[in-house]
Amino acid sequence: MRAIPLLLCTLLVTGCYPQPDTSEADVAAITAVFAEFDAAMAAGDQDRMLALYADDVVAMPPDMPPHVGVEALRASMEGYFDQYTFELTSQVEEVQVAGDIAFAVVSWSDAVTPKAGGEVVRSQGMWLVVLQRQADGSWKSWREMYSTYEPADM
């Protein structure tokens, strides 16, 4: 008899949350966002990379205060592409969609080479990104945080 109230409570609570409606098309579109991010980084194209972020993005890098808004993110990266070349490889591990919000779990590895010469710094880690579907149907990073497996040496 105790199972029935517990079941009803569970059904009531889970009914309050949006149910996932992940489609293959959404997974492909979100995976393409990360492929474009990798390509923009390799090209050293900050504007191309920042175009993948919602205007009101909140990026939460490790050991730093959050960057609130795409212009704050731009300012935080000022000069990076002048000083370094990037080789980034992102692997989307999981995507879940609920309406116009999705999350992606992404593993990544990179190689950062100083343009002035010096050793290549390699790192890897995980990225958790909440994406928001835009009015045109595209997906952009809306909230994100990442971690490295080992601290970077830069």
Side-chain angles (χ1 to χ4, degrees):
M1 280 311 223
R2 295 180 118 190
I4 292 175
L6 180 59
L7 176 63
L8 290 174
C9 227
T10 302
L11 291 172
L12 179 64
V13 170
T14 58
C16 295
Y17 295 97
Q19 299 303 305
D21 55 356
T22 307
S23 71
E24 287 183 27
D26 285 330
V27 171
I30 289 168
T31 300
V33 168
F34 294 97
E36 173 65 8
F37 191 87
D38 292 356
M41 292 293 286
D45 190 336
Q46 185 177 15
D47 290 333
R48 181 175 168 191
M49 184 211 51
L50 290 172
L52 301 169
Y53 288 92
D55 289 340
D56 61 343
V57 65
V58 177
M60 297 166 272
D63 304 320
M64 299 175 78
H67 308 302
V68 180
V70 76
E71 291 308 314
L73 189 55
R74 177 186 306 279
S76 77
M77 296 191 65
E78 194 63 42
Y80 277 7
F81 291 114
D82 295 334
Q83 297 175 40
Y84 304 101
T85 59
F86 295 88
E87 186 179 323
L88 177 66
T89 303
S90 302
Q91 177 64 44
V92 176
E93 305 289 342
E94 179 182 2
V95 172
Q96 294 292 324
V97 178
D100 290 336
I101 300 294
F103 78 81
V105 176
V106 181
S107 59
W108 58 268
S109 61
D110 69 4
V112 181
T113 306
K115 289 183 176 179
E119 290 187 34
V120 175
V121 176
R122 297 181 189 283
S123 57
Q124 57 184 349
M126 296 297 292
W127 198 1
L128 178 61
V129 181
V130 178
L131 299 105
Q132 185 180 58
R133 191 186 322 261
Q134 304 300 294
D136 66 0
S138 67
W139 290 95
K140 290 191 176 187
S141 177
W142 183 50
R143 304 289 187 261
E144 69 174 33
M145 60 190 319
Y146 69 94
S147 63
T148 56
Y149 297 145
E150 295 182 21
D153 295 330
M154 292 193 298

